[in-house]
Amino acid sequence: MERFLKAVNRYYERMEKPSGNIAVSRQTPAEEPFIYIRDNKKVFKVYLKDISYIEGYGEYIKIHAEDKTYLTRKTMHEFEKNYPMINF
C-alpha cells in the first residue's frame, strides 16, 4: 500500500497542474469507501469512516480524520457539489 501511495505522489509531482485535490475512489463492493486527499503536495488515502468532520476556510477545507488533519485547496461548496454521495 505504501508503495502505491509513493507512486501516486510521484505522479502528482510530475503533473503541472492536477485537475483536483480530492478524488473519490472507484471501489469494489467489498472495499470500504475512501477518498484521496492532496495535502502539501502529497496524496493521502482517507477512509470515509475515519473522517470526523470537515471545516471550510475560504478557498480551503480542513478535513479532520482520526489520525491526522488535512488541508486542501477546495471550497466547501465545490466539495459538496462534486461529492454529493458523501454524507457526514
Side-chain angles (χ1 to χ4, degrees), residues 11 13 15 34 40 48 53 57 59 69 73 78 83-84:
Y11 171 76
E13 288 173 3
M15 289 178 50
F34 61 89
N40 198 20
L48 296 182
Y53 62 98
Y57 284 99
E59 293 191 14
T69 300
R73 190 169 193 271
E78 290 172 335
Y83 310 104

Side-chain angles (χ1 to χ4, degrees), residues 6-68:
K6 284 182 183 178
V8 170
N9 285 329
R10 278 194 308 265
Y11 171 76
Y12 276 103
E13 288 173 3
R14 292 180 182 162
M15 289 178 50
E16 287 184 5
K17 191 163 191 150
S19 61
N21 295 329
I22 301 174
V24 176
S25 71
R26 299 177 197 266
Q27 71 265 356
T28 61
E31 264 186 307
E32 291 190 41
F34 61 89
I35 58 176
Y36 289 110
I37 300 172
R38 185 171 180 196
D39 179 19
N40 198 20
K41 297 184 180 180
K42 292 184 180 180
V43 177
F44 298 94
K45 179 180 179 179
V46 180
Y47 289 97
L48 296 182
K49 68 176 181 68
D50 293 339
I51 297 175
S52 302
Y53 62 98
I54 299 174
E55 290 182 89
Y57 284 99
E59 293 191 14
Y60 292 85
I61 58 172
K62 192 180 246 187
I63 300 171
H64 297 270
E66 287 182 355
D67 60 340
K68 188 177 177 185

